[in-house]
Amino acid sequence: MKIIFATGNKGKLREAAEILGEGFELVTPAMMGITEDIPETGDTLQENSIQKADYLFERLGCDCFADDTGLEVDALGGAPGVHSARYATDGHDFAANMDKLLAELEKVGAMTLEQRTARFRSVITLIWKGEKHFFEGSFEGYIAFEKAGCGGFGYDPVFIPERSQLSEAGMDTVCPEGCTVAECPDDLKNAVSHRGKALRAMAAWLAENK
Ligand code: ITT
């Protein structure tokens, strides 16, 4: 199935292609000649996810989906949340975002792992035959004390998965205790992540309804 994925984020595109597998051919806005940044000015993940999908549907008029993801850190009242991409700067500077996050957690005195609980949350908006459908996923964990690993993208070098999700997926031996997502193989993240859950829910819906 050929479908447009409203993203400019190469890490997301790679993960989505791996998660959805060979049955899907993902087309990006750039491949369709849309090279400007798609606006995301909403106050919630769902609003942004709708905004990105609508933007493409209005221009191309075909089935598409968008993913908006945020990292919610409990000790910071849910920040960076919907502002995850531009937490430290106006651009998508992953290293600066992580440095700011680590500094903010130090400022509030969150110096044990138990005080550093966090989760990624993804909201997918699928526009299918002109109708909107929503799929969500979350991934529980902790913010590490320093960056480690070079896999994944974004905040992965500071995100340590919570263990029970790994054991449920039979993945606990693949990720040694205390390792960040960026230190683990991609298939571990895809099996248990926010995006993995949301995209598999979308694929299951499409299998039933297309
Ligand atoms: P698009 O809107 O073009 O899809 P984006 O990078 O703007 O890409 P989001 O607004 O959804 O995507 O993401 C907000 C931030 O959270 C951004 O800095 C991402 O890199 C980061 N992020 C998203 N998913 C992530 C993941 O699975 N692991 C680590 N960081 C992630």
Side-chain angles (χ1 to χ4, degrees), residues 8 13 22 41 55 60 65 90 99-100 116 182:
L13 178 65
E22 286 177 0
T41 53
Y55 187 89
L60 300 170
F65 70 96
D90 208 24
D99 288 341
K100 177 168 177 186
R116 298 166 78 97

Side-chain angles (χ1 to χ4, degrees), residues 6-9 12 15 40 52 67-69 84-85 92 94 97 120 153-156 189 194-195:
T7 189
N9 180 318
K12 276 190 191 177
E15 286 182 9
E40 26 187 330
K52 290 189 267 191
D67 155 327
D68 203 61
T69 296
S84 294
H92 289 61
F94 296 156
N97 284 342
F120 283 111
F153 69 96
Y155 293 91
D156 285 341
K189 180 179 177 189
H194 43 299
R195 184 161 300 107

Side-chain angles (χ1 to χ4, degrees), residues 42-97:
D43 292 328
T44 64
L45 297 178
Q46 178 149 3
E47 281 173 27
N48 278 346
S49 173
I50 292 172
Q51 193 178 14
K52 290 189 267 191
D54 271 344
Y55 187 89
L56 277 197
F57 187 70
E58 281 159 16
R59 277 153 190 80
L60 300 170
C62 35
D63 300 328
C64 62
F65 70 96
D67 155 327
D68 203 61
T69 296
L71 175 62
E72 301 172 345
V73 180
D74 295 322
L76 302 177
V82 73
H83 305 296
S84 294
R86 293 176 182 81
Y87 189 42
T89 69
D90 208 24
H92 289 61
D93 186 336
F94 296 156
N97 284 342

